[in-house]
Amino acid sequence: MKKLILILILSLCLIGCSPSDTNDDNNNDNNDNNIVEKTDLEILQEVSSLISIPEEVDSDISLPTSYNYEDKVISISWESSDEEIISNDGKVSLQESTLLINLTCTLTLNNEVYISYYDVLVDALSVEEIVENIFNTIELPTTISEDITLPRNTTYLEKRYGIVWTSNNTNAINDDGEIVRNTTDIKTTLTASIYYNRVEYTKDFEITILKF
């Protein structure tokens, strides 16, 4: 009698447990089946949303050329509406006025392509920066032993600027670059004058005239 009761108890336990275990297995299978892999286009759209480009710049910007997404590598290329202002690799050239440049970003994964656009405002140079850059186009030697030709104009950002020279010692070098050598080295200063927006700016160039 005891054996019969034990058998009945075990049978009930088996009956009670089996459906639950089976349901758990089925639920796991269903969860696995519910995982849907993203399409290439969806991945590109997601990556595009992660790319951050500044709306206003005054220096070079970093433009990514690839992006690793899980086990996939996404290719990224850029095209600027004006490469002289912002190049396709992010180099920025400031101008006299602010400019709005459009950057086209093309993302590619396998045979799928996604394109996004960014407007970037490029700041203008300050007057001080422009004048300094104009003077930086002028090159003079620091030591001379014969007459030199002093440039009378220079070009910056496709604009021409006249130059007027003044010597601090015309007995050693005159305003035209003609020198008078001596028995000792002579340090002189040539001052270049230019006009920008009707305002005069000057810069000194130190030159040593070598002795005989």
Side-chain angles (χ1 to χ4, degrees), residues 96-165:
E96 290 183 271
S97 58
T98 58
L99 295 169
L100 186 65
I101 304 300
N102 178 263
L103 295 177
T104 301
C105 176
T106 302
L107 296 88
T108 305
L109 177 60
N110 298 323
N111 294 323
E112 194 67 63
V113 174
Y114 184 79
I115 299 176
S116 56
Y117 303 92
Y118 302 86
D119 287 328
V120 180
L121 187 67
V122 179
D123 289 342
L125 289 164
S126 66
V127 172
E128 292 76 12
E129 290 172 322
I130 293 172
V131 171
E132 181 181 357
N133 290 341
I134 294 172
F135 279 125
N136 287 341
T137 65
I138 303 173
E139 295 183 358
L140 290 183
T142 56
T143 59
I144 59 176
S145 58
E146 57 186 10
D147 297 345
I148 59 173
T149 300
L150 299 176
R152 296 300 174 180
N153 55 68
T154 188
T155 301
Y156 176 69
L157 294 179
E158 300 182 355
K159 292 184 179 180
R160 185 176 292 270
Y161 299 90
I163 307 171
V164 176
W165 293 94

Side-chain angles (χ1 to χ4, degrees), residues 88-99:
N88 291 339
D89 58 358
K91 290 183 173 58
V92 174
S93 177
L94 303 184
Q95 304 294 307
E96 290 183 271
S97 58
T98 58
L99 295 169

Side-chain angles (χ1 to χ4, degrees), residues 24-37:
D24 289 343
D25 292 340
N26 289 337
N27 288 335
N28 289 335
D29 292 340
N30 289 334
N31 290 335
D32 291 340
N33 292 332
N34 287 335
I35 298 176
V36 179
E37 186 174 351

